[in-house]
């Protein structure tokens, strides 16, 4: 039987898995949500939602998918939930690849951990000084009611869909973000509050060090929970070992 692997991506890990499978001559399809206008990809790509659990289950059946690697971002909660349900329904093995979070980071105890964006916005509004928002395009707008009168630098890959306060600085940028650049950014805007998610990994970690060097407060949003009973791995090699 031909092996067809579906890689749910939108992350560097998803690209790396798809690339590694292509390099091994395996039939792999990288799936993206279709939110980014010029996505970074590797090998064959499909784009756009499947239409919930049923849509994904139908896709798995019609495409003859033999295994799924869920390499979506740790905060892509709905997609991971749908993948777990659809794979169980169709009987296709699923492996969840998530990069390690920052809860064990040496600086983790100095951060203010919150459960969601609403709590993060409320917490940031209580802290004094310029804010660096690094929460993704979709959630940047959630912070407007709490921080509209503040000096905010919002770093996003693409323009958020709604209006932002005119005094906010919008920075279009995609990681990785090296330490030198992060230091400059913190210094240029005198950042004293960083709001971010526990995305984990090394590509976007330097901001945490830059914040520490400036004694800036860090408001860290915890990762959402994962569906129970998942096979989980934390690096590309282990994901490949499961599916190849
Ligand atoms: P989400 O809330 O979990 O997903 C919402 C819906 O988008 C899903 O139900 C699914 O639609 C569709 N979708 C998501 N990922 C998909 C994929 N890889 N392939 C096909 N459809 C997908 O996800 P999100 O937080 O909006 O993130 C969207 C994408 O951006 C994800 O692929 C994720 O890996 C990437 N990303 C997210 C973040 C973040 O912080 N959330 C950061 C960096 C990258 P249907 O129900 O119609 O199938």
């Amino acid at each position: 039987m031909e092996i067809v692997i579906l890689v749910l991506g939108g992350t560097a890990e998803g690209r790396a898995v798809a690339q590694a499978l292509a390099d091994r001559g395996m039939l792999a399809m990288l799936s993206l949500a279709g939110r980014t206008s010029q996505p970074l990809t590797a090998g064959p790509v499909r784009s756009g939602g499947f239409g919930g659990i049923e849509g994904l289950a139908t896709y798995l059946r019609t495409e003859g998918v033999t295994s799924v690697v869920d390499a979506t971002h740790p905060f892509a909660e709905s997609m991971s939930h749908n993948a777990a349900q659809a794979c169980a329904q169709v009987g296709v093995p699923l492996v969840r690849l998530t990069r390690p979070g920052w809860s064990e980071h040496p600086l983790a105890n100095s951060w203010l951990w919150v459960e969601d964006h609403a709590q993060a916005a409320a917490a940031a509004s209580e802290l004094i000084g310029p804010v660096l928002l690094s929460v993704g395009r979709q959630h940047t707008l959630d912070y407007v009611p709490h921080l509209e009168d503040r000096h905010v630098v919002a770093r996003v890959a693409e323009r958020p869909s709604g209006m932002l306060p005119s005094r906010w600085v919008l920075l279009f940028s995609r990681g990785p973000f090296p330490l030198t650049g992060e230091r400059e950014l913190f210094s240029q805007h005198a950042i004293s509050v960083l709001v971010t998610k526990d995305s984990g990994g090394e590509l976007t970690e330097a901001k945490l060090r830059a914040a520490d060097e400036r004694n800036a407060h860090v408001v860290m949003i915890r990762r959402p929970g994962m569906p129970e009973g998942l096979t989980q791995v934390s690096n590309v090699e282990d994901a490949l070992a499961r599916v190849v």
Side-chain angles (χ1 to χ4, degrees):
M1 187 175 65
E2 196 173 32
I3 295 178
V4 184
I5 300 166
L6 175 66
V7 181
L8 301 170
T11 54
E13 290 82 3
R15 271 197 311 284
V17 170
Q19 186 64 63
L21 291 170
D23 291 347
R24 287 167 167 75
M26 301 191 68
L27 211 52
M29 177 64 76
L30 176 62
S31 175
L32 303 176
R35 307 261 164 76
T36 313
S37 48
Q38 289 178 319
L40 304 171
T41 62
V45 175
R46 68 163 297 288
S47 183
F50 295 94
I53 297 168
E54 287 310 319
L56 178 55
T58 304
Y59 180 92
L60 297 177
R61 285 193 194 97
T62 49
E63 299 298 321
V65 172
T66 48
S67 54
V68 175
V69 179
D70 174 9
T72 54
H73 191 270
F75 280 78
E77 200 176 355
S78 304
M79 189 66 252
S80 287
H81 170 81
N82 292 358
Q85 296 290 320
C87 287
Q89 208 181 95
V90 181
V92 170
L94 167 70
V95 56
R96 174 66 169 125
L97 164 59
T98 356
R99 63 187 89 141
W102 290 321
S103 57
E104 305 294 319
H105 192 283
L107 298 169
N109 286 338
S110 66
W111 305 331
L112 178 60
W113 288 84
V114 296
E115 298 304 319
D116 53 31
H117 291 280
Q119 283 188 13
S125 71
E126 299 288 319
L127 298 167
I128 293 165
V131 180
L132 173 59
L133 265 190
S134 172
V135 294
R137 174 186 52 163
Q138 291 182 77
H139 287 284
T140 295
L141 290 168
D142 299 354
Y143 291 78
V144 173
H146 274 100
L147 299 176
E148 59 189 333
D149 298 329
R150 299 278 296 275
H151 178 174
V152 172
V153 179
R155 181 161 66 187
V156 286
E158 296 199 5
R159 183 171 289 282
S161 49
M163 285 287 286
L164 293 177
S166 54
R167 61 182 302 165
W168 284 25
V169 177
L170 203 50
L171 268 190
F172 296 104
S173 190
R174 274 190 195 187
F177 301 109
L179 184 57
T180 324
E182 299 296 57
R183 281 181 174 141
E184 269 172 38
L185 178 63
F186 272 73
S187 157
Q188 188 190 349
H189 295 278
I191 298 296
S192 61
V193 182
L194 165 66
V195 184
T196 189
K197 301 181 289 194
D198 180 12
S199 298
E202 291 169 6
L203 301 181
T204 58
E205 189 198 340
K207 64 187 170 212
L208 304 171
R209 205 161 133 204
D212 182 56
E213 288 173 0
R214 290 190 64 89
N215 279 326
H217 295 279
V218 175
V219 179
M220 181 68 74
I221 303 169
R222 278 186 213 287
R223 290 181 169 195
M226 292 243 206
E228 286 189 4
L230 274 187
T231 301
Q232 291 192 48
V233 296
S234 58
N235 61 60
V236 171
E237 292 70 33
D238 289 349
L240 291 171
R242 295 275 175 172
V243 295
V244 173

